[in-house]
Amino acid sequence: MARKIGSSSEITGPRIRDAALRLFARHGFASVSMRQIAAEVGVQAGALYLYTADKQALLFDLMQDHMTDLLCALQALPQCSDPAAQLDQFARFHIGYHLDRPDAVFIAYMELRSLSADNFAAIESLRRRYEDHLQGILIEGAAKGRFIFGDAKMTTLALIAMLTGVTNWYREGGRLSRADVQTLYADMALRAVSVAIE
Amino acid sequence: MARKIGSSSEITGPRIRDAALRLFARHGFASVSMRQIAAEVGVQAGALYLYTADKQALLFDLMQDHMTDLLCALQALPQCSDPAAQLDQFARFHIGYHLDRPDAVFIAYMELRSLSADNFAAIESLRRRYEDHLQGILIEGAAKGRFIFGDAKMTTLALIAMLTGVTNWYREGGRLSRADVQTLYADMALRAVSVAIE
DNA sequence: TCTTGAATTGAACGGGCATTCAGATAAGTT
DNA sequence: AACTTATCTGAATGCCCGTTCAATTCAAGA
């Protein structure tokens, strides 16, 4: 037997990417074999190579799409001029976006070292753009005298690490709701740069 | 040829653990082969099994020793009663300890999913004890009216994620000194729970 | 209905994997 | 110097890896 009934690239392609995303997130890129991904989709390993050049490209595409989508969604946020409102919005956005895509986020932070040098550089530059957005908010807030903090770059990285950490423990249906978590993290971020809350 | 000149378990044992620590941190547990570790030490792969039951035990021992040492060092800190001083001390300790052992820390946070179920539970329980220490400081500070925050458990995890994030970017000899970084992170932690700085 | 090309199989390739173990050699002890 | 024991080799075992490709079958347009 060869071509399967009901088969089409519009179905198999996304199914491969979904399976790879889930398996990479759960077990790690290096531990997942092409055969495992294929089995999840219900095809033979060879069929994967109609949809990706190789395993590395599969990982890179997943990461690049995630980062691109993230930057797009960030761009689409409504503008506001008050620094505290901007930081609050950023924190809520980051938490919400990350809680919606736990697997993609996990991969984007854990599998950087599985990328080839070129691919790593490409992803790092996208990530850098995201960080720069937050850093811009912090610097503007400091210039306007609304924020106080020690070092803009370090504070940026510390805040992003803090916010991203939510994916390590948050589970749907737990003690705290999504909105609770967004508020609590946003408030912590604001206080961390000396904005009084309540 | 068989036994090598100058060979002894007191030398080879630690060298194997050092090599494994460095290689696991750099390339990931799943990507590192026993042959690579052996080559780093200058010995054949079979010799590793005089020092570890298998590859999984090698990882587990590294992680367990790291967590045990961390808890020991935490215990050894001088006691103080002021909540703000306690949090400041904890933040400085965490940053300093983690900057001293980047490889061990990296493995302890990245390779949890490479552990067997039993080993994972053991490491998680050690990590839980560390988190509980910080949570105790936060709860006591809130009870004394010195700290304000939304939720103790969540704040604990957020602070630890923020502090641990330092290992992602700090490099010896960079723009900020070790002491700078400790001060900046400690101040952010304090502000995040509403303690006024300066 | 026939033809074309998209989709997939299944086998094969060369290689690396963790782990085991009999045999060999050096270190240490008497 | 002789003996014991700790240490290590090197080959072997059985398995899984990523990737390729000729052959095959289905879908869809003419």
Side-chain angles (χ1 to χ4, degrees):
Chain A
M1 68 211 76
R3 180 164 187 171
K4 310 179 95 175
I5 44 183
S7 64
S8 97
S9 65
E10 283 116 43
I11 292 176
T12 307
R15 291 229 297 149
I16 288 173
R17 295 165 54 83
D18 286 357
L21 188 73
R22 191 173 55 254
L23 289 173
F24 288 165
R26 191 116 59 215
H27 307 294
F29 175 75
S31 300
V32 174
S33 71
M34 295 300 266
R35 284 174 175 82
Q36 279 178 267
I37 298 170
E40 195 85 355
V41 177
V43 303
Q44 293 298 314
L48 302 184
Y49 291 85
L50 292 167
Y51 300 93
T52 186
D54 51 27
K55 195 184 175 193
Q56 169 73 204
L58 187 50
L59 174 64
F60 177 67
D61 288 346
L62 290 173
M63 292 179 70
Q64 190 177 42
D65 287 357
H66 169 65
M67 291 307 298
T68 304
D69 291 352
L70 176 66
L71 285 168
C72 255
L74 181 63
Q75 224 74 37
L77 286 181
Q79 304 287 340
C80 53
S81 63
D82 177 53
Q86 278 181 349
L87 180 53
D88 183 74
Q89 184 190 47
F90 179 89
R92 289 174 187 277
F93 164 76
H94 188 94
I95 297 282
Y97 196 90
H98 282 57
L99 288 184
D100 283 341
R101 295 158 188 80
D103 286 346
V105 167
F106 198 71
I107 290 173
Y109 280 88
M110 298 282 275
E111 298 298 352
L112 283 168
R113 67 178 162 190
S114 300
L115 292 171
S116 69
D118 286 357
N119 288 345
F120 177 80
I123 298 297
E124 267 300 289
S125 110
L126 291 174
R127 197 218 287 251
R128 181 59 194 257
R129 280 174 49 194
Y130 188 71
E131 290 169 3
D132 285 348
H133 182 90
L134 173 56
Q135 194 170 339
I137 294 174
L138 295 183
I139 289 173
E140 187 181 334
K144 289 186 177 170
R146 302 287 308 276
F147 297 163
I148 302 172
F149 52 77
D151 178 84
K153 185 72 195 160
M154 202 213 66
T155 305
T156 298
L157 297 173
L159 287 179
I160 287 182
M162 183 183 84
L163 296 173
T164 305
V166 72
T167 57
N168 294 336
W169 60 268
Y170 182 82
R171 296 293 172 262
E172 209 72 38
R175 186 168 56 86
L176 298 168
S177 77
R178 233 180 108 91
D180 289 341
V181 174
Q182 283 180 308
T183 299
L184 289 168
Y185 270 95
D187 287 354
M188 278 190 77
L190 286 166
R191 282 196 293 257
V193 295
S194 317
V195 176
I197 302 296
E198 283 150 312
Chain B
M1 66 210 77
R3 181 164 187 172
K4 311 179 96 175
I5 47 181
S7 64
S8 98
S9 64
E10 282 116 43
I11 292 175
T12 307
R15 290 229 297 149
I16 288 172
R17 295 166 53 85
D18 286 356
L21 189 73
R22 191 174 54 255
L23 289 173
F24 288 165
R26 191 116 58 216
H27 307 293
F29 175 75
S31 300
V32 174
S33 70
M34 295 299 265
R35 284 173 175 82
Q36 280 177 267
I37 298 170
E40 195 85 356
V41 177
V43 75
Q44 292 299 313
L48 302 184
Y49 292 85
L50 292 167
Y51 300 92
T52 186
D54 50 28
K55 196 184 174 191
Q56 169 73 204
L58 187 50
L59 174 64
F60 176 68
D61 288 345
L62 290 173
M63 292 180 69
Q64 190 177 43
D65 287 357
H66 168 65
M67 290 307 298
T68 304
D69 291 352
L70 176 66
L71 285 168
C72 256
L74 181 64
Q75 224 74 38
L77 286 181
Q79 304 286 340
C80 53
S81 62
D82 176 55
Q86 278 181 347
L87 180 54
D88 183 73
Q89 184 190 49
F90 179 88
R92 288 174 187 277
F93 164 76
H94 188 94
I95 297 282
Y97 196 91
H98 282 56
L99 288 184
D100 282 341
R101 295 159 188 80
D103 286 346
V105 167
F106 198 70
I107 290 173
Y109 279 88
M110 298 282 275
E111 298 298 351
L112 284 168
R113 66 180 162 186
S114 301
L115 291 171
S116 69
D118 286 357
N119 287 345
F120 177 80
I123 298 297
E124 268 300 290
S125 111
L126 291 174
R127 197 218 285 250
R128 181 60 194 256
R129 280 174 49 193
Y130 187 71
E131 291 168 2
D132 284 348
H133 182 90
L134 174 56
Q135 194 170 339
I137 294 174
L138 295 184
I139 289 173
E140 186 181 334
K144 289 185 177 170
R146 302 288 308 275
F147 297 162
I148 303 172
F149 51 77
D151 178 84
K153 185 72 194 161
M154 202 213 66
T155 304
T156 299
L157 297 173
L159 288 178
I160 287 182
M162 182 184 85
L163 295 173
T164 305
V166 73
T167 56
N168 296 335
W169 60 269
Y170 181 83
R171 297 293 171 264
E172 209 72 37
R175 186 167 57 86
L176 298 168
S177 78
R178 232 180 109 92
D180 288 341
V181 175
Q182 283 179 308
T183 299
L184 289 169
Y185 270 94
D187 287 354
M188 278 190 77
L190 286 165
R191 281 196 295 256
V193 295
S194 317
V195 177
I197 302 295
E198 283 151 307

